[in-house]
């Protein structure tokens, strides 16, 4: 699976995903030219931020909202609580969250804390761009 996180002002705009799912053809202002491609699931990103930074118990992480379900792709909306907390946190909180998440096993085993730290910084930059644009976070998911 491949994931592109992007910002959009609303669900109707986010739903206008190109029929072609090739990453190099995605983009344009309506999909947020400053989107992020990653192999990390939106559920994992939500859990990483909310549990690692906000201290929310894993079972209380809110579900994602399905915007579009197509045979070839899906678009989901992430709760704002997944991006907003990152705008105001400092290096210590990001480092602590990275350490915590580096110990959580995934299919490939635990991740290196520095890689998680870098990812959280990318996510922090993304959250600032979303806030400045007045957009909400969405994720385009396709095989």
């Amino acid at each position: 699976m491949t994931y592109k996180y992007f910002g959009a002002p609303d669900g109707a705009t986010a739903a206008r995903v190109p029929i072609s799912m090739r990453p190099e053809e995605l983009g344009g202002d309506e999909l947020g030219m400053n989107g992020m491609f990653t192999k990390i699931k939106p559920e994992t990103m939500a859990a990483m931020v909310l549990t690692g930074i906000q201290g929310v118990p894993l079972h209380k992480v809110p579900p994602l909202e399905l915007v579009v379900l197509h045979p070839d792709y899906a678009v989901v909306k992430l709760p704002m609580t997944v991006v907003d907390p990152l705008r105001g946190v400092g290096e210590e909180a990001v480092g602590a969250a990275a350490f915590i998440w580096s110990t959580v096993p995934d299919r490939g085993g635990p991740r290196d804390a520095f890689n998680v730290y870098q990812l959280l910084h990318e996510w922090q930059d993304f959250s600032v761009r979303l806030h400045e644009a007045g957009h909400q976070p969405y994720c385009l998911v396709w095989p």
Side-chain angles (χ1 to χ4, degrees), residues 97-116:
F99 175 75
I100 291 166
W101 271 90
S102 71
T103 64
V104 175
D106 59 22
R107 279 184 276 194
R111 293 184 165 276
D112 177 79
F114 185 70
N115 291 341
V116 177

Side-chain angles (χ1 to χ4, degrees), residues 72-91:
D72 298 325
Y73 61 89
V75 175
V76 296
K77 178 182 176 189
L78 286 82
M80 286 305 288
T81 54
V82 173
V83 291
D84 282 347
L86 280 169
R87 285 199 329 271
V89 300
E91 288 297 310

Side-chain angles (χ1 to χ4, degrees), residues 19-42:
I19 298 304
S20 169
M21 293 293 101
R22 298 215 315 258
E24 63 274 10
E25 294 179 10
L26 293 176
D29 291 336
E30 73 282 1
L31 288 178
M33 292 195 38
N34 295 320
M36 297 185 343
F37 284 103
T38 182
K39 292 285 188 184
I40 298 182
K41 294 191 281 190

